[in-house]
């Protein structure tokens, strides 16, 4: 990964995004999630700290990425371009742990100029806090893991029914 395969620029989905600077083939490594390797304990501490900061400053971004059962990566650093990768319900890359590093790898051929998109896969229980505005066909409206989408649809359908019932 010597030559950069991507550029960071403004995205229609959210803030800045990461875009393919040239054609990227399925299976190719695109970029790494760089940062500081920290324990789960430290990770929780930083997460809570950031939540507190967000309450006062409105600056809400947390850039902690799960590495394995023991460690996370805090990627809140200028040099970590991967922190700009946006979530979408339809993605073109996946994150793999390769020798203790998080590497984003293309899951399909990506055209030059296409935005690099990854599924953040947040836990279902707090889905209301993470609306999705990806605008992709099949967008489920919230940022959840692919395997939780069926469950989410059921919850949303139930909520809709309740709403109708209460309007009668
Ligand atoms: Zn979406």
């Amino acid at each position: 990964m010597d030559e950069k395969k991507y550029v960071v620029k403004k995205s229609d989905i959210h803030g800045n995004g990461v875009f393919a600077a040239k054609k990227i083939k399925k299976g190719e490594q695109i970029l790494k999630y760089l940062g500081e390797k920290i324990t789960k304990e430290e990770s929780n501490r930083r997460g809570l700290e950031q939540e507190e900061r967000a309450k006062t400053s409105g600056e809400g971004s947390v850039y902690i990425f799960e590495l394995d059962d023991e460690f996370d990566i805090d990627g809140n650093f200028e040099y970590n371009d991967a922190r700009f990768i946006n979530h979408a319900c339809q993605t073109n890359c996946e994150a793999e742990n390769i020798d203790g590093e998080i590497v984003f790898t293309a899951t399909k051929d990506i055209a030059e100029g296409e935005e690099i998109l990854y599924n953040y896969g947040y836990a279902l229980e707090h889905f209301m806090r993470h609306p999705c505005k990806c605008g992709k066909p099949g967008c489920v409206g919230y940022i959840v893991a692919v395997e939780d989408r069926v469950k989410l649809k059921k919850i949303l359908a139930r909520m809709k029914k309740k709403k109708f019932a209460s309007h009668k």
Side-chain angles (χ1 to χ4, degrees):
M1 287 196 282
D2 325 311
E3 204 187 327
K4 268 195 190 175
K5 293 175 183 167
Y6 66 89
V7 286
V8 174
K9 59 178 187 175
K10 212 186 156 308
S11 163
D12 287 338
I13 295 177
H14 174 81
N16 281 321
V18 176
F19 293 79
K22 52 179 169 180
K23 233 170 101 179
I24 298 170
K25 280 212 183 78
K26 180 179 173 177
E28 250 183 78
Q29 298 187 357
I30 309 166
L31 71 163
K32 287 179 189 170
Y33 196 89
L34 303 171
E36 188 187 347
K37 189 172 159 183
I38 52 175
T39 61
K40 294 285 176 195
E41 201 185 341
E42 176 63 10
S43 176
N44 285 335
R45 198 188 65 75
R46 290 188 190 185
L48 291 173
E49 207 179 76
Q50 178 57 47
E51 256 177 54
E52 281 305 310
R53 257 205 309 274
K55 274 184 207 158
T56 48
S57 70
E59 181 204 323
S61 303
V62 177
Y63 295 112
I64 290 175
F65 205 103
E66 183 170 333
L67 180 64
D68 53 34
D69 291 341
E70 260 183 281
F71 296 100
D72 288 343
I73 291 180
D74 182 356
N76 194 12
F77 294 94
E78 199 87 359
Y79 58 78
N80 178 32
D81 290 332
R83 74 190 192 279
F84 293 121
I85 296 177
N86 276 316
H87 164 92
C89 295
Q90 256 181 37
T91 63
N92 51 20
C93 74
E94 61 187 2
E96 285 181 289
N97 181 337
I98 300 177
D99 299 328
E101 285 188 306
I102 301 295
V103 183
F104 291 93
T105 306
T107 50
K108 50 177 84 168
D109 291 342
I110 301 172
E112 185 185 330
E114 214 180 299
E115 181 163 4
I116 306 299
L117 297 166
Y118 171 73
N119 188 329
Y120 290 0
Y122 290 151
L124 185 61
E125 50 174 344
H126 303 303
F127 75 88
M128 287 293 219
R129 285 192 219 159
H130 308 291
C132 179
K133 298 185 183 82
C134 75
K136 299 280 171 197
C139 176
V140 288
Y142 296 93
I143 300 177
V144 299
V146 174
E147 57 269 27
D148 284 334
R149 278 186 196 163
V150 173
K151 263 192 238 164
L152 174 69
K153 279 181 189 162
K154 280 185 192 157
I155 294 170
L156 292 174
R158 264 207 305 275
M159 283 167 60
K160 217 170 155 188
K161 255 192 214 157
K162 260 192 205 156
K163 224 182 187 173
F164 276 126
S166 65
H167 279 298
K168 268 178 196 162

